[in-house]
Amino acid sequence: MSHGEEQLSWEPAPGQGAEVLYAVDGTLGRARLNRPRAINALDRASIDSLHQQLTAWAQDDRIDAVVLDGAGERGLCAGGDVRALREAVLAGRQEEAVDYWRAEYAVNALVASYPKPYVAWMDGIVMGGGVGVSAHGSLRLATERTRLAMPEVVIGFFPDVGGLHRLAQAPGETGTHVALTGEPVGGADALVLGMADALVPSHAHDRVLQLLRDRPGATAAQVAEAVGQPEATSSWLAENRAWIDRCYAGDDVAAIVQRLREDPDPAAQAAARTVGARSPFSVAVTLEALRRAASMSLEEVLAQDLRLGATFAGHPDFAEGVRAQLVDKDRTPRWTHGSVAEVPREEVLAAFDG
């Protein structure tokens, strides 16, 4: 930690808890997600705190740019606090979950439309809700340690927080692979997906901050030039574009799984097994949502996310997926449908009418 960092006074937002801490660092507003034991998962208190402080800094003439990072060594943010959402759903309080998503998506929209430079330090784990508070920023810095994912199909949900807006615009079918498998990708892949602007060494955090103190509006190219590139950072997605584009084309999710299964590339066959283990309902709805997102603005995608959230809050796969992955951790969810081929088209379309 730099000398300058030691001098900072980290405080919660006025009237909020310590789930997120803030400091004024020269003309930088520093925001730090502060639940390291949970890899900074975003509970409702975190979201309310971020909304309050980011709104205040947007109008504060002393602040020229905002920089977001995460406490602890493991990463920026592991996602939303879905265990709490599952408990609300099981207790019959579905509206509590929908209110959480409404508040979260408002923060995502605020980040995307922020009137000042919004810099996200996307080191380590950046998943789900963590993507929502970083990938919509104006300067997104990934590192060789970045593990980015939208893993929602693993828990019987769908990639939300406006993530499908980015994934629908990713080259070829790379975004489709990330959405339907839920598998993590690296920092170079985050650049390919359009979810990061530069790849910098994880040890360059202090140097990046020093540059931003001097030049709050620094571009990705200027940051990369100042701190250099990490070593050996190839993109797995770029290297596997041939079978990814071949297999994930089109709107028929059962056909996609079939093509993955029959493809000669072992990585495609592995992807078929991965997608096959996810919630079939989630995978089918995710593909439909992704294809629709291709012609939508971010605001429209976030509105679609909220409609789908209401659907998923009432669907058994969400409570079951969270149970299997995060509560009992037996990793053996019992999904509503046996395979994606068994999910009726009308059930998928009905999910969007929430």
Side-chain angles (χ1 to χ4, degrees), residues 219-236:
T219 65
Q222 288 166 342
V223 171
E225 186 181 350
V227 302
Q229 292 258 330
E231 292 175 22
T233 47
S234 60
S235 163
W236 183 90

Side-chain angles (χ1 to χ4, degrees), residues 15-78:
Q16 302 286 352
E19 294 85 3
V20 189
L21 297 177
Y22 305 92
V24 175
D25 183 357
T27 64
L28 302 179
R30 301 277 302 279
R32 177 163 291 163
L33 305 180
N34 188 44
R35 302 179 69 214
R37 287 175 56 184
I39 319 180
N40 304 316
L42 297 169
D43 59 2
R44 181 59 193 265
S46 306
I47 287 163
D48 290 345
S49 172
L50 282 168
H51 197 278
Q52 176 181 316
Q53 191 62 51
L54 291 176
T55 300
W57 276 345
Q59 299 153 1
D60 188 336
D61 292 340
R62 297 172 307 153
I63 302 299
D64 288 338
V66 169
V67 182
L68 176 78
D69 62 20
E73 296 298 313
R74 298 176 67 190
L76 175 66
C77 176

Side-chain angles (χ1 to χ4, degrees), residues 288-311:
E288 177 70 20
L290 179 70
R291 297 303 185 232
R292 293 184 181 203
S295 59
M296 288 179 170
S297 67
L298 174 61
E299 291 72 25
E300 289 168 332
V301 173
L302 287 168
Q304 174 175 273
D305 287 351
L306 197 57
R307 286 198 301 278
L308 290 175
T311 296

